[in-house]
Amino acid sequence: MNDRRRQWLDAIAAAADEASLHEVESRLFGKKGEVLELVRAVATLPKEERPAAGKAANLCKQEVEQALAAKKDELQQQALQKELHDPSFDPTEPGPRPRRGSLHPITIVQNELIDLFTSMGFCWQDGPEVESEYFNFDALNIPGDHPARESQDTFWLNDRNLLRTHTSPVQVRTMQRFTRQGFQPPLKIIVPGRCFRAETVDKTHEHTFYQMEGLVVDEGVSTANLIHTMKTCLRVILQREVKVRLRPGFFPFVEPGFELDVNCPFCQGKGCSVCKQSGWIEILPCGMVHPNVLRQGGLDPEEYTGFAFGMGLQRVVMLRYGIDDIRTFMGGDLRFLRQFPEIAR
Ligand code: FA5
């Protein structure tokens, strides 16, 4: 054992740098390391020899371990000294800068939409996330027993307030404030914001998600205005020319109501797994503002008409970047977030 101990200590002493020391360490202490084999071999000796041999093997192991640790220290110090005395090394130079982080993709698209709509004369409005039953449902022409209330599974709070299920309540809030202050249309607003529904989370549904509401009220506003605005918005956000189609859709606060579909950008309408072979992706519920909603807002539906839309922001972001699972947005995985451009310095 003494010979081998000597050999091991010599091998440690002879290591010229950290890499070769690491090699020696693996040879001695790796899975089939020589030092560990020595300790294990004690068990194969006759019973009466084991205590003495075990003690000697452990002492030897300790000595080799200590020599290894001391050599590691020495080599690290040497490497540091070498670096410090390298004439090209400037200790006053700033270290590598930490990443500044990137905006969340929902924020990126939300900001672009705000820029786009404000450039078209829309004004950005906000509203409370804890909303009253009146603004979330009643003011939007959704009667108490209407099944539409159930289709948006609501997180109720104990005082008949709720977590808003959509951004549409800000339509009536804004119209009321606007008319109370004595203004008359045109009125053009967008409302980006967080919404909440008691939904089972899956690839396309979250309990907390983002919408962007839009509302335009003026004399003579028509479906043609709605289609033009939506096409412009989708072209800018999806960064390509888009074909759209309107299908009837039911929402009590619009009449007529539509589901606006966009020609599938992944297959150019030929049919693929993303669009479920239909060639179209449902992206934007919208419609002409219901007369009762205009009345709730203090406006005369004989005089004014309007359109409204409620875009699911995550869905637009998923289409834009080809993301196929909504849960990645809030999953907290930095590898996902780092794919988006770093914030400029
Ligand atoms: C509404 O919320 C209506 N307020 C939209 C509207 C506004 C219609 C104005 C007409 C006029 P809907 O429940 O379909 O509609 O939701 C709108 C969009 O929000 C959906 O197309 C979808 O993109 C998104 N959305 C709805 N529920 C979820 C959810 N659980 N997770 C993620 N996105 C959702």
Side-chain angles (χ1 to χ4, degrees):
M1 182 165 86
N2 248 341
D3 282 353
R4 296 172 73 194
R5 180 179 140 274
R6 195 61 269 152
Q7 272 174 18
W8 293 334
L9 293 176
D10 287 349
I12 291 171
D17 53 30
E18 288 178 85
S20 33
L21 186 66
H22 185 68
E23 257 172 48
V24 177
E25 184 177 15
S26 315
R27 182 156 66 78
L28 305 188
F29 291 98
K31 216 166 164 204
K32 288 203 165 155
E34 294 171 17
V35 177
L36 300 183
E37 291 286 307
L38 174 80
V39 177
R40 277 190 215 115
V42 174
T44 64
L45 294 174
K47 210 171 169 192
E48 58 284 4
E49 290 176 26
R50 279 185 222 160
K55 198 170 167 197
N58 273 329
L59 276 175
C60 171
K61 179 172 165 247
Q62 267 174 23
E63 192 182 354
V64 177
E65 275 171 348
Q66 279 164 7
L68 196 66
K71 186 71 183 179
K72 234 184 230 176
D73 237 31
E74 181 193 320
L75 289 175
Q76 273 170 1
Q77 281 303 324
Q78 267 176 22
L80 183 66
Q81 287 307 321
K82 196 167 156 215
E83 207 173 312
L84 286 174
H85 292 100
D86 176 352
S88 67
F89 175 68
D90 176 1
T92 63
E93 201 174 88
R97 291 189 187 187
R99 258 183 72 94
R100 298 200 70 186
S102 36
L103 289 180
H104 193 282
I106 298 177
T107 310
I108 295 175
V109 171
Q110 183 173 295
N111 287 349
E112 283 180 21
L113 280 166
I114 291 170
D115 282 352
L116 169 71
F117 278 107
T118 48
S119 79
M120 296 198 293
F122 283 70
C123 143
W124 172 6
Q125 291 293 305
D126 209 353
E129 289 178 348
V130 172
E131 188 49 283
S132 68
E133 186 178 9
Y134 166 74
F135 280 116
N136 200 81
F137 292 122
D138 305 300
L140 290 170
N141 199 36
I142 311 177
D145 56 354
H146 200 285
R149 290 198 186 210
E150 266 127 64
S151 72
Q152 301 188 352
D153 300 314
T154 310
F155 288 114
W156 286 98
L157 305 175
N158 48 16
D159 50 1
R160 294 309 287 174
N161 284 331
L162 48 88
L163 296 182
R164 69 176 175 195
T165 56
H166 51 175
T167 41
S168 300
V170 188
Q171 289 187 24
V172 176
R173 278 186 175 277
T174 310
M175 283 191 278
Q176 287 187 356
R177 204 169 49 241
F178 183 76
T179 48
R180 239 188 280 119
Q181 290 169 355
F183 295 114
Q184 287 298 311
L187 169 67
K188 292 163 83 176
I189 59 161
I190 44 157
V191 186
R194 224 158 37 143
C195 308
F196 310 86
R197 292 186 196 177
E199 300 228 44
T200 310
V201 172
D202 62 21
K203 268 183 119 165
T204 51
H205 294 88
E206 269 284 6
H207 47 72
T208 303
F209 59 97
Y210 290 79
Q211 285 189 345
M212 178 159 316
E213 191 82 8
L215 171 71
V216 171
V217 183
D218 200 357
E219 285 171 19
V221 172
S222 72
T223 312
N225 300 127
L226 164 66
I227 296 174
H228 172 76
T229 309
M230 296 299 87
K231 274 188 87 162
T232 309
C233 153
L234 292 172
R235 188 176 63 233
V236 171
I237 289 306
L238 300 180
Q239 300 174 324
R240 49 178 91 87
E241 207 46 58
V242 290
K243 264 204 240 166
V244 299
R245 72 171 185 191
L246 285 185
R247 287 179 295 115
F250 174 69
F251 302 93
F253 33 96
V254 284
E255 181 56 40
F258 307 110
E259 289 287 355
L260 186 139
D261 298 340
V262 60
N263 200 26
C264 178
F266 295 103
C267 63
Q268 278 71 46
K270 292 189 194 82
C272 67
S273 62
V274 179
C275 61
K276 301 197 183 85
Q277 309 306 331
S278 71
W280 296 93
I281 294 183
E282 185 181 311
I283 192 164
L284 246 174
C286 53
M288 302 306 292
V289 182
H290 195 287
N292 287 349
V293 176
L294 290 172
R295 278 189 204 102
Q296 286 292 334
L299 292 168
D300 179 359
E302 297 296 323
E303 216 176 321
Y304 298 110
T305 51
F307 70 76
F309 58 88
M311 183 186 310
L313 263 187
Q314 269 107 325
R315 181 156 299 182
V316 184
V317 180
M318 287 165 84
L319 275 180
R320 155 90 163 258
Y321 292 112
I323 297 167
D324 65 357
D325 192 329
I326 198 168
R327 292 167 290 196
T328 45
F329 288 125
M330 300 299 164
D333 187 338
L334 289 179
R335 289 171 306 172
F336 170 70
L337 298 173
R338 285 198 179 119
Q339 295 176 66
F340 299 94
E342 191 176 336
I343 296 168
R345 286 178 195 276

